[in-house]
Amino acid sequence: MESAPLSRLCVHTITTKPLVLDRAVEAYQQAGVAGITVWRDALQSLGVKQSAKLLVESGMKVVSLCRGGFFPGVTQEDRSKALDDNRRAIDEAQAIGAPVIVLVCGAVPGIPLVEARKQIREGIESVLDYAKQAKVKLAIEPLHPMYAGDRSAVNTLGQANDMVKEISSPSVGVAIDVYHLWWDERLEREIDRCGKLGAIMAYHVCDWRTPTRDLLLDRGLMGEGCIPLKQIRSWVERAGFDGMIEVEIFSNEYWQMDQIEFLGKIKAAYIEHV
Amino acid sequence: MESAPLSRLCVHTITTKPLVLDRAVEAYQQAGVAGITVWRDALQSLGVKQSAKLLVESGMKVVSLCRGGFFPGVTQEDRSKALDDNRRAIDEAQAIGAPVIVLVCGAVPGIPLVEARKQIREGIESVLDYAKQAKVKLAIEPLHPMYAGDRSAVNTLGQANDMVKEISSPSVGVAIDVYHLWWDERLEREIDRCGKLGAIMAYHVCDWRTPTRDLLLDRGLMGEGCIPLKQIRSWVERAGFDGMIEVEIFSNEYWQMDQIEFLGKIKAAYIEHV
């Protein structure tokens, strides 16, 4: 399978966490990275307005804002706070020109997963008009089952597709991340279904290391793990997706290295393995 | 829901890893634990024969031997070695009077999951006659998707049920472990299906901590995590299972405490939360 073109390479600011936003933009551009997905913490150094200005002037493609979500809560107050926070995220996405917000939907120990999914759906529906007015789309990101306890009650692409179908709005779709979904025997057919729903809004890559030394912060660079990246990309593209390919790696190991050197590795891994 | 009776309480030797087998048997009996599942490493201190003698004389119910499996391999030689090891496990199970061997089926980075599952099925079929002659049953244990990279390509109860159905032998069934399966929205119906297949051979409990600090060695005591234990037990019992309830906890934290005290906690947690 041919390499994906560099014009589709996007990097998440969290991937190069040690770089503040202006340094990240500069470094990405020097490395030939075309797109950027901005994590909300990266907006803090300059503030939203200045960050937006920097991004516009850079000419980089702003792919997504990460992240909204965390809808479930034990009390009504908790759930209301989550909605407020999602509206702020929508404001921020609009300000920086991000067409999509990635939703890490949330899970709370003590709330059964079925109930949590109900609260997630209600949460998305509650902020949907606000998102539409801002022309920002919402992408449900199904998370690996190892995060079902405290990060997301949506743990398969099938569940995300079901939710998209139930909500049935062109403003709500899915972010497909290979790290979370690679193990699922239903992945190929659910990617196909997601495409038919017109719902593939984002595609995230990295790799699954064996052994994985940390539940959160030990993602691998593409090619150093066991995820069949080219196969999954072929499924996503067959389903009609031709958008940016986003490199999202949380790694204590890589955050410790020189981030310019790391970007070089990302680019090489993207060309060879994605 | 009523507490499960103490007559169904079984503890895995790995749960109290610091205790050698004779100390474990003594401590379990003092704590009123009726059953024991023996991990193969626990047979090393006394050897298989002496261990068997100790277990018979104790009068404890030997529930399972843990563990066989790890069938997939890159070379034919690797796969043959795995079969030899499984035959040794069958010998050991027969020797200690364990009616069931739990199979951690295996996965190897670089072998696609579909191929790994094929090798697992072939591996089980290759040792099946040997197991039958020894009157030892084989229980496929689906493992959490976070182990799909290097421990098991069977990651849902649905996949385990499919494999049981394909192999179609009364000597091959499933070990249901809440830690691996609690997150799956299909769990209730797959437990039902497993019961209809006559295939529920073991039921393992512990809890899922939030946050979980280690991929392998941070299992929680029942009641200190987010697994709906009583609900899952009700499904398993409705599906016809009335066998032993096995406490299997790998925990660096608990292994550091006094193991007699830990057994007291296990018993209390079993009564209150299982």
Side-chain angles (χ1 to χ4, degrees):
Chain A
M1 188 173 176
E2 271 182 35
S3 293
L6 275 176
S7 58
R8 291 177 65 194
L9 172 56
C10 165
V11 174
H12 281 227
T13 56
I14 193 87
T15 301
T16 57
K17 190 179 167 192
L19 301 180
V20 292
L21 188 63
D22 49 359
R23 281 291 297 124
V25 167
E26 191 187 336
Y28 291 6
Q29 292 198 293
Q30 277 172 3
V33 174
I36 183 169
T37 281
V38 180
W39 278 55
R40 294 177 72 190
D41 66 284
L43 297 174
Q44 284 172 3
S45 62
L46 297 175
V48 177
K49 262 195 186 168
Q50 279 299 316
S51 300
K53 187 162 177 282
L54 171 80
L55 289 162
V56 168
E57 286 173 0
S58 75
M60 286 195 84
K61 186 176 178 69
V62 179
V63 178
S64 301
L65 180 76
C66 276
R67 55 196 189 186
F70 289 100
F71 294 107
V74 173
T75 65
Q76 183 59 53
E77 197 191 340
D78 290 342
R79 298 196 291 277
S80 291
K81 274 187 193 164
L83 298 181
D84 291 342
D85 190 58
N86 277 278
R87 287 187 202 98
R88 277 193 296 277
I90 291 165
D91 294 341
E92 291 170 16
Q94 185 180 33
I96 67 168
V100 170
I101 294 178
V102 176
L103 301 179
V104 169
C105 292
V108 175
I111 300 180
L113 295 175
V114 170
E115 168 64 21
R117 284 193 286 272
K118 184 171 162 278
Q119 293 185 9
I120 288 165
R121 186 181 142 184
E122 288 169 358
I124 293 172
E125 288 172 338
S126 297
V127 298
L128 188 50
D129 279 342
Y130 196 85
K132 278 183 193 165
Q133 280 161 26
K135 296 195 166 50
V136 170
K137 295 186 176 186
L138 304 174
I140 297 165
E141 182 175 37
L143 254 54
H144 194 283
M146 71 183 172
Y147 304 121
D150 46 7
R151 289 177 185 270
S152 181
V154 179
N155 303 107
T156 62
L157 184 52
Q159 289 176 328
N161 284 338
D162 288 347
M163 201 173 282
V164 163
K165 207 178 157 195
E166 284 163 12
I167 297 173
S168 190
S169 160
S171 293
V172 177
V174 174
I176 293 175
D177 184 320
V178 298
Y179 191 76
H180 298 300
L181 305 176
W182 72 278
W183 59 271
D184 185 357
E185 65 179 340
R186 293 180 170 83
L187 185 56
E188 183 178 2
R189 82 187 88 146
E190 290 295 342
I191 285 175
D192 180 64
R193 184 174 156 225
C194 194
K196 287 183 176 130
L197 288 166
I200 307 179
M201 290 186 174
Y203 182 55
H204 298 177
V205 297
C206 66
D207 215 332
W208 182 281
R209 292 178 51 108
T210 50
T212 289
R213 299 159 298 184
D214 187 275
L215 272 93
L216 264 185
L217 306 178
D218 194 31
R219 295 195 183 194
L221 188 63
M222 298 80 77
E224 62 182 15
C226 57
I227 300 180
L229 286 159
K230 285 188 183 285
Q231 186 176 49
I232 299 177
R233 178 162 70 91
S234 77
W235 296 340
V236 170
E237 292 181 352
R238 204 175 59 208
F241 181 78
D242 60 0
M244 300 299 277
I245 297 171
E246 307 176 44
V247 178
E248 184 190 37
I249 300 173
F250 320 139
S251 164
N252 282 324
E253 191 171 302
Y254 284 119
W255 288 337
Q256 275 166 34
M257 85 182 275
D258 178 90
Q259 296 297 289
I260 306 300
E261 197 185 322
F262 181 33
L263 280 166
K265 280 178 178 286
I266 287 172
K267 189 172 162 181
Y270 174 86
I271 292 168
E272 190 173 349
H273 298 291
V274 174
Chain B
M1 187 173 177
E2 272 183 34
S3 294
L6 274 176
S7 59
R8 291 178 64 195
L9 172 58
C10 165
V11 174
H12 280 228
T13 56
I14 193 86
T15 300
T16 58
K17 190 178 167 193
L19 301 181
V20 291
L21 187 63
D22 48 0
R23 282 291 297 124
V25 167
E26 191 187 335
Y28 292 7
Q29 293 199 293
Q30 278 172 3
V33 174
I36 183 169
T37 280
V38 180
W39 278 56
R40 294 179 72 192
D41 67 285
L43 297 173
Q44 283 172 4
S45 62
L46 296 175
V48 176
K49 262 194 189 168
Q50 279 300 316
S51 299
K53 188 164 174 280
L54 172 80
L55 289 163
V56 168
E57 287 173 0
S58 75
M60 286 196 84
K61 186 176 177 69
V62 179
V63 178
S64 300
L65 180 77
C66 276
R67 55 197 190 183
F70 289 100
F71 294 108
V74 173
T75 65
Q76 183 59 52
E77 197 191 341
D78 290 343
R79 297 196 290 279
S80 291
K81 274 187 193 163
L83 297 182
D84 290 342
D85 190 57
N86 277 278
R87 287 186 203 102
R88 275 193 297 276
I90 291 165
D91 294 340
E92 290 170 15
Q94 185 181 31
I96 66 167
V100 170
I101 294 178
V102 176
L103 301 179
V104 170
C105 292
V108 175
I111 300 180
L113 294 175
V114 171
E115 168 64 19
R117 284 192 286 271
K118 184 170 160 280
Q119 293 185 10
I120 288 165
R121 187 182 138 182
E122 288 168 358
I124 293 172
E125 288 171 338
S126 298
V127 297
L128 189 50
D129 280 341
Y130 196 85
K132 278 183 194 165
Q133 279 161 26
K135 296 195 167 47
V136 170
K137 295 186 176 186
L138 304 173
I140 297 165
E141 181 174 40
L143 254 55
H144 194 283
M146 72 184 171
Y147 304 121
D150 47 7
R151 288 177 186 269
S152 181
V154 180
N155 304 107
T156 62
L157 183 52
Q159 289 176 329
N161 284 339
D162 288 347
M163 201 172 282
V164 164
K165 207 178 156 193
E166 284 163 13
I167 296 173
S168 191
S169 159
S171 293
V172 178
V174 174
I176 293 176
D177 185 319
V178 299
Y179 191 75
H180 297 301
L181 305 176
W182 72 277
W183 58 272
D184 185 356
E185 66 179 340
R186 292 180 171 83
L187 185 56
E188 182 179 2
R189 84 187 85 148
E190 290 295 342
I191 285 175
D192 181 63
R193 186 175 154 226
C194 195
K196 287 184 175 130
L197 288 166
I200 308 179
M201 290 185 175
Y203 182 55
H204 298 178
V205 297
C206 65
D207 216 333
W208 182 281
R209 291 177 52 107
T210 50
T212 289
R213 300 160 298 184
D214 186 276
L215 272 95
L216 264 185
L217 306 179
D218 195 30
R219 295 194 183 193
L221 188 63
M222 299 80 76
E224 63 180 15
C226 57
I227 300 180
L229 286 160
K230 286 187 182 284
Q231 185 175 49
I232 299 177
R233 178 163 69 91
S234 76
W235 296 339
V236 171
E237 293 182 352
R238 204 175 58 207
F241 181 77
D242 60 0
M244 301 297 279
I245 298 172
E246 308 177 43
V247 178
E248 184 188 38
I249 300 172
F250 318 140
S251 164
N252 282 325
E253 193 171 299
Y254 284 119
W255 288 337
Q256 276 165 34
M257 84 182 277
D258 177 272
Q259 297 296 290
I260 306 300
E261 197 184 323
F262 181 33
L263 279 165
K265 280 178 177 286
I266 287 172
K267 189 172 162 181
Y270 174 86
I271 292 167
E272 189 173 350
H273 298 291
V274 171

